[in-house]
Amino acid sequence: MIARALQLSTVASTTGFADDEAIPAWAKGAVAVLKQAGIVDGRDHNRFVPDDNATRAEAITILLRIIEEN
């Protein structure tokens, strides 16, 4: 949703996260472009953890980075 809202290209086959194989194929492009843009960093050991919920702090950090970019 964030990549679409920012009108970012979501064409990518790998994300660069250590748990890339756990990220669904349909989401990899968006995750990769958001990582490249510096909007998402991942968690410890360069993991995205796609099956976990984002914390409030992570959500706020993403929102602040989006505001800084625009």
Side-chain angles (χ1 to χ4, degrees):
M1 290 185 331
I2 295 168
R4 281 188 184 178
L6 297 175
Q7 299 177 342
L8 300 173
S9 172
T10 58
V11 178
S13 59
T14 183
T15 63
F17 283 108
D19 58 351
D20 181 74
E21 72 283 347
I23 300 170
W26 60 266
K28 286 189 181 194
V31 171
V33 74
L34 292 174
K35 181 177 181 178
Q36 290 172 347
I39 294 172
V40 296
D41 288 333
R43 294 189 181 166
D44 295 336
H45 308 291
N46 191 36
R47 295 177 305 120
F48 184 70
V49 195
D51 294 326
D52 204 357
N53 293 323
T55 65
R56 288 183 203 151
E58 289 167 337
I60 293 297
T61 299
I62 289 170
L63 292 171
L64 289 173
R65 289 177 180 170
I66 291 169
I67 290 169
E68 288 174 2
E69 291 293 317
N70 290 316

